[in-house]
């Protein structure tokens, strides 16, 4: 709460302005994402109150906007949907329990300083996951958007509902894609922020249209009764199903953290601040526990809302507290109009929000850079679509590690020689280099660890078998950052075999940390058949001198 | 079968001699390891017949001796013991099914060229596993060694049995540890081989003693009736339990391969040959299928027998075929004496064999070299002892990968400078080096991949925050063998942030394969704020020139 202690009056205007704008985003978003989670819309508003306060106390980002978010809402729906039908009291209780568990997981990770675990999720996995989840959500909103009553037959389309939905969709698409270029001329923050307020404008407009034209009487579904007043505070005592919720809570906890972290970090860089990963975990944990205790569900830092918050001039978490306060007021004043919001318009806001999350940039970037990363991305998306949300992301994580291990099992090894007239040594397949006839210099472009030791030794032995004239093998270790015990023992054996063949093993360009370890081993004791050189150039000079001598 | 086509008469003497010696080892070993597997002793002899022929056809090692082995026998006992009581017909059937499944797994891995999967097992894991399994086997043999009838109370010791066991044990220990130094003076292969024949000598001696003194009548347990004749060929049609056998078959298949591979490879190096990993898989697969079809159980290449085979002069797999032929003859001629072999003497041969497998050398080596490898080794042993054989080795594999990932998540980053008067750049914490006041040169000692990207960027940003005067950041990538998409995107962002801060990002010493990838990305397009230099020296010169200019 350093920000509160150091608060200055000059910051207030920005915080109030941003608070109002974010509240206007939060009302439709909160209700919409509650619907995605299969929960009553009001829970999305509840989830926008106390969590913001909890995050302001424990979190580290100044401009993070904590609340419901599309993907985590989808994950709530799939996790709880397996245990209880949507709309039942049990479903509601379980959604709070899930938020509680996820909050505890996050808080515990923060206390244990486990923030580094987020490293397990590569960007291709996150991108593939986000795209897959976005598609799942968008497809799920087609029914409410078109006012389908049941099934997917054309007859089930409810025409007045579909009209409201499609018109809302078209307006939102225009606001997102046609408005910004027009506003760009005006410049400043207006161009950044105005399009983000389109959802509330469209929702209000659709609500007015529905009441004015009596469309609700024609069967256009609406949000329905919103209970007046603030939520009661209290954790549901039921402990049923908590075991089944543990794995989902773990996965959702990670997703909450990753989404929030990427929002917080990109904005912190713009503000020249640093995010404390472990405090971020504490903040998000506290926010989710607070959400569970006040009738909400899983919340996270939303990248879209946080960016608006920042652009609208937020300086401190006070902006989020203003937003929460405004929503609390909206809940307490007569709010009958909220109940008239047509569901098709709501669905349209969700579809537009999630379609923009489908990330083709990372796909094309990773395709250009690294096919295996692109394959992991596509596989993660496919996993989310075919197997399910949690299963898909877990599969992506497993795949990304498998490809990491696979690649480190097949290291690049270059035969190097000296660039004429320099002290630089380069791959003889890529450069014109000088070599010595009786010396083979191999640069190993990888750590030497158990999962590539056999491959490396195999390659070395094949190169030696093919060159019976070689009497000196020089291993250039400039790219070797780690030699584990398996590799060390294999080097010992290589050294012994070379001795039997009357050949010498030399090492050069050993990194400091590697040298520290090797010094403690037998290899660098009396056993080494050759020498250790500081640089490849020294090895080259010494061995060429020996040849002429 | 190239070896058969190229067979020369000169090789015959060596093959016959080695064949006889290995047969003399195999008879007691085969029967003993059948007992370890909880199977009738004769199955160990069956497992020494056709598998040798199958391996001779499909395998690639010239001197490998395929047959029962202590550790795989223990794994058979634990896998089948969970499904049926030892001594039942079902136990026998399941042991053959397990060999069949393991054989199919191995054969399939050979066809699919999956030999590289053996890279998943680091030496500390294999060493810890072997030691743990050896302890389990030795402890399991204490009861038959001391002639225990039941329980562990002193009263349950059968004194005549214990005398036979302990005397055998003492003789075997003397033969193993006192004999070789005496024989060393004589030199040659005798010193290598004679101690290895101690088991058959002790077993024959104990058998003679038992019959002569009528100890069997006093209750010393013996091997019992050995059915005369060769086994019938045929696979048991029962398919019960095959699902429960699948995971054990997979793990045992790997252990068969790893044990065999290390034997084959060390001997091939001595013979200046190369082992074809995938043909090795085919050979072992065929051998196990053959064993399953002829009343045997899981077989593998035994490092101890293969070494004797080599030392006794074996030149080709014909030696193993001679051994198999001799054992076949022993099964067909009247062999009543086999039934009189006392179990305590048998247990003594097992204990001595497995105790020598407890591997403290690798433990001390890895302790000196790398504490985390030593911890993995000890944890694997503990896992085998506490959780079970399969569980222990799987835990070891998981641990070794976890430590690999953990280490790559925490890369070493050095601030480097120029060694005065040279073109070499070294860590400024270890060497006295020259640096430029407005330039920060960081050498990243790790691949740049998703699980360390955050850590690396974090470190870079902290170094820059602490040095506001720095206007040029040079990343020295000599140790970077891989930049994945996650890291590439992070470098893009770093570059963008540096531009905002009016700083430049330079790269140097980029490896060829890394360069190939980076060229396709935006980073090395128009976006890079600085330059790409071939070497750190060039970067240094250019940037120092800029400073003076």
């Amino acid at each position: 709460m350093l920000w509160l202690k150091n608060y200055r009056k000059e910051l207030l205007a920005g915080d109030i302005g941003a608070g109002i704008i974010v509240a206007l985003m939060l009302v439709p978003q909160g209700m919409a994402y509650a619907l995605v989670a299969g929960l009553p819309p009001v829970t999305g508003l509840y989830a926008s109150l106390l969590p913001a306060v909890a995050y302001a106390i424990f979190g580290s980002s100044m401009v993070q906007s904590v609340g419901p978010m599309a993907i985590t809402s989808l994950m709530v729906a799939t996790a709880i949907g397996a245990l209880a039908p949507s709309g039942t009291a049990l479903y509601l209780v379980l959604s709070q329990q899930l938020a509680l568990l996820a909050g505890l997981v996050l808080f515990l990770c923060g206390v244990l300083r486990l923030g580094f675990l987020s490293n397990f999720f590569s960007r291709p996995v996150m991108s593939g996951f986000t795209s897959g989840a976005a598609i799942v959500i968008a497809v799920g909103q087609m029914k409410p958007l078109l006012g389908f009553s049941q099934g997917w037959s054309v007859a089930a389309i409810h025409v007045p509902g579909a009209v409201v939905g499609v018109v809302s969709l078209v307006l939102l698409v225009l606001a997102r894609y046609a408005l910004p270029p027009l506003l760009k001329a005006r410049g400043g923050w207006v161009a950044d922020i105005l399009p983000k307020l389109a959802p509330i404008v469209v929702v209000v407009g659709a609500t007015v249209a529905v009441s004015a034209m009596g469309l609700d009487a024609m069967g256009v579904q609406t949000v329905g009764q919103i209970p007046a007043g603030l939520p009661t505070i209290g954790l549901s005592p039921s402990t049923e199903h908590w075991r089944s919720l543990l794995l989902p809570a773990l996965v959702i906890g990670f997703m909450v953290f990753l989404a929030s972290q990427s929002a917080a970090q990109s904005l912190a860089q713009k503000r020249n601040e640093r995010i404390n990963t472990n405090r971020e975990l504490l903040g998000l944990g506290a926010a989710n526990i607070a959400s569970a205790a006040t009738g909400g569900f899983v919340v996270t830092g939303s990248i879209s809302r946080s960016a608006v918050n920042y652009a609208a001039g937020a300086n401190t978490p006070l902006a989020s507290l203003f937003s929460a306060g405004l929503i609390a007021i909206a809940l307490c004043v007569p709010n009958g109009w909220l109940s008239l919001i047509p569901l098709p318009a709501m669905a349209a806001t969700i579809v537009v929000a999630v379609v923009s999350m489908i990330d083709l940039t990372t796909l094309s970037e990773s395709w250009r850079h690294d096919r295996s990363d692109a394959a992991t991305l596509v596989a993660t998306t496919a996993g989310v679509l075919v197997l399910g949300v949690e299963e898909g992301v877990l599969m992506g994580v497993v795949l990304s590690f498998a490809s990491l291990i696979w690649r480190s099992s097949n290291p690049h090894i270059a035969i190097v020689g000296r660039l004429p007239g320099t002290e630089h040594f380069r791959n003889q397949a890529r450069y014109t280099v000088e070599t010595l006839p009786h010396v083979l210099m191999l640069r190993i472009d990888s750590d030497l660890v158990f999962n590539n030791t056999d491959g490396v030794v195999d390659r070395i032995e094949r190169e030696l078998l093919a060159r019976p004239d070689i009497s000196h093998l020089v291993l250039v270790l400039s790219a070797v950052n780690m030699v584990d015990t398996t590799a060390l023992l294999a080097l010992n054996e290589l050294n012994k075999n070379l001795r039997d063949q009357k050949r010498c093993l030399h090492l050069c360009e050993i990194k400091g940390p590697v040298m520290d370890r090797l010094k403690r081993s037998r290899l660098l004791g009396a056993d080494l058949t050759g020498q250790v050189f500081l640089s490849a150039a020294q090895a080259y000079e010494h061995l060429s001198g020996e040849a002429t001598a």
Side-chain angles (χ1 to χ4, degrees), chain A:
Chain A
M1 298 277 275
L2 211 61
W3 63 267
L4 193 57
K5 232 168 82 184
N6 300 334
Y7 203 83
R8 288 167 291 125
K9 253 186 291 181
E10 311 88 88
L11 303 176
L12 196 62
D15 282 342
I16 292 178
I20 294 170
I21 286 169
V22 168
L24 290 175
M25 271 183 93
L26 246 175
V27 171
Q29 272 194 6
M31 293 169 73
Y33 296 153
L35 289 170
V36 170
L39 289 163
V42 73
T43 58
L45 300 178
Y46 293 167
S48 312
L49 303 175
L50 208 55
V53 179
Y55 181 85
I57 297 172
F58 290 97
S60 72
S61 164
M62 288 295 107
V63 294
Q64 185 77 280
S65 166
V66 170
M69 182 231 188
I71 293 184
T72 49
S73 294
L74 173 67
M75 296 180 84
V76 169
T78 55
I80 314 283
L83 301 172
S86 173
T88 61
L90 180 59
Y91 192 97
L92 199 66
V93 168
L94 290 179
S95 73
Q96 290 166 21
Q97 255 176 248
L98 184 61
L100 178 64
L101 278 175
L104 290 173
V105 165
L106 287 162
F107 205 87
L108 202 68
C109 284
V111 171
L112 300 176
R113 313 182 71 76
L114 299 182
F116 73 92
L117 288 178
S118 66
N119 294 341
F120 279 23
F121 297 81
S122 73
R123 297 227 194 158
V125 168
M126 283 310 291
S127 163
F129 167 69
T130 306
S131 297
I135 294 170
V136 172
I137 297 172
V139 169
Q141 293 303 314
M142 284 302 125
K143 276 192 187 184
L145 181 79
L146 299 176
F148 270 83
S149 49
Q150 59 198 4
W152 283 105
S153 76
V154 178
I157 295 184
H158 181 262
V159 178
V163 169
V164 172
V166 171
V167 169
S168 303
L169 190 67
V170 169
L171 290 174
L172 287 165
V173 168
L174 288 176
R176 180 175 284 269
Y177 299 101
L179 200 54
L182 294 178
L183 292 174
K184 210 159 198 178
R186 294 244 358 221
W189 61 271
V190 175
D192 283 342
I193 293 169
L194 218 55
K196 306 290 163 107
L197 294 181
I200 187 96
V201 174
V202 167
V203 163
V204 169
T207 308
V208 170
V210 165
S211 344
M213 298 192 259
L215 292 178
D216 49 337
M218 288 171 66
V220 172
Q221 291 184 293
T222 60
V223 160
Q225 193 58 50
I226 298 282
L230 297 175
T232 51
I233 295 186
L235 283 166
S236 120
S238 156
T239 55
E240 207 184 349
H241 293 299
W242 74 269
R243 273 169 165 282
S244 329
L245 291 176
L246 207 54
L247 183 66
L250 217 66
V251 179
I252 292 175
F254 266 112
M255 290 302 132
V256 163
F257 177 53
L258 287 164
S260 193
Q261 177 79 353
S262 72
Q265 225 145 34
S266 68
L267 295 174
Q269 277 170 350
K270 293 197 186 181
R271 292 171 49 89
N272 236 331
E273 292 169 351
R274 291 196 60 73
I275 293 297
N276 179 324
T277 302
N278 294 307
R279 269 189 54 205
E280 203 52 26
L281 282 164
L282 295 179
L284 292 167
N288 275 289
I289 295 169
S291 189
T294 53
F297 54 97
V298 172
V299 293
T300 182
S302 149
I303 193 153
S304 60
R305 275 199 315 271
S306 301
V308 168
N309 198 27
Y310 166 73
N315 294 307
T316 70
L318 196 63
S320 297
L321 297 185
F322 276 121
S323 298
L326 288 173
I327 294 174
I329 293 171
L331 278 167
C332 292
V333 299
N335 54 20
W337 71 273
L338 285 176
S339 68
L340 292 175
I341 297 175
L343 286 185
M346 216 61 161
T349 67
I350 298 172
V351 170
V352 173
V354 298
V355 164
S356 72
M357 284 162 43
I358 297 175
D359 173 20
L360 298 175
T361 317
T362 304
L363 177 59
S364 80
E365 190 88 13
S366 59
W367 177 259
R368 261 208 316 277
H369 180 68
D370 185 341
R371 297 289 149 93
S372 118
D373 277 341
T376 303
L377 190 160
V378 172
T380 306
T381 304
V384 168
L385 296 178
V386 176
L387 302 175
V389 181
E390 280 167 34
E391 292 81 354
V393 72
L394 290 178
M395 197 189 76
V397 169
V398 169
L399 273 181
S400 53
F401 277 108
S403 101
L404 195 68
I405 288 167
W406 165 259
R407 277 199 278 229
S408 85
S409 301
N410 292 284
H412 181 255
I413 295 181
I415 300 177
V416 296
R418 186 166 69 171
L419 286 180
T422 73
E423 294 194 349
H424 299 303
F425 285 73
R426 289 289 185 278
N427 188 347
Q428 69 168 22
R430 288 174 184 263
Y431 295 84
T432 311
V433 294
E434 304 167 336
T435 54
L436 297 170
H438 60 304
V439 177
L440 177 63
M441 298 182 80
L442 292 178
R443 192 190 65 211
I444 299 167
D445 287 350
S446 163
D447 290 355
L448 286 171
V449 286
F450 63 91
N451 63 325
N452 65 22
T453 297
D454 278 358
V456 169
V457 171
D458 202 70
R459 171 74 189 278
I460 293 173
E461 286 179 347
R462 271 187 288 125
E463 297 293 350
L464 286 174
L465 265 184
R467 291 176 179 74
D469 296 344
I470 294 296
S471 50
H472 296 276
L473 170 66
V474 181
L475 296 183
V476 183
L477 303 184
S478 52
V480 175
N481 308 305
M482 165 85 202
V483 174
D484 77 358
T485 304
T486 306
L488 178 73
L489 295 174
L491 284 179
N492 272 335
E493 282 154 24
L494 177 68
N495 181 52
K496 226 169 69 186
N497 291 337
L498 289 175
R499 168 175 295 139
D500 293 348
Q501 299 166 19
K502 310 252 179 290
R503 289 165 150 175
C504 296
L505 172 66
H506 306 273
L507 305 175
C508 68
E509 312 246 356
I510 304 177
K511 291 250 161 68
V514 174
M515 193 64 179
D516 291 345
R517 281 167 189 280
L518 286 181
K519 266 188 196 147
R520 277 181 262 139
S521 75
R522 269 184 314 174
L523 184 65
L524 292 201
D527 280 3
L528 191 66
T529 46
Q531 298 182 42
V532 175
F533 298 99
L534 184 64
S535 68
Q538 286 179 11
Y540 189 92
E541 265 165 50
H542 180 90
L543 293 172
S544 73
E546 194 171 87
T548 52

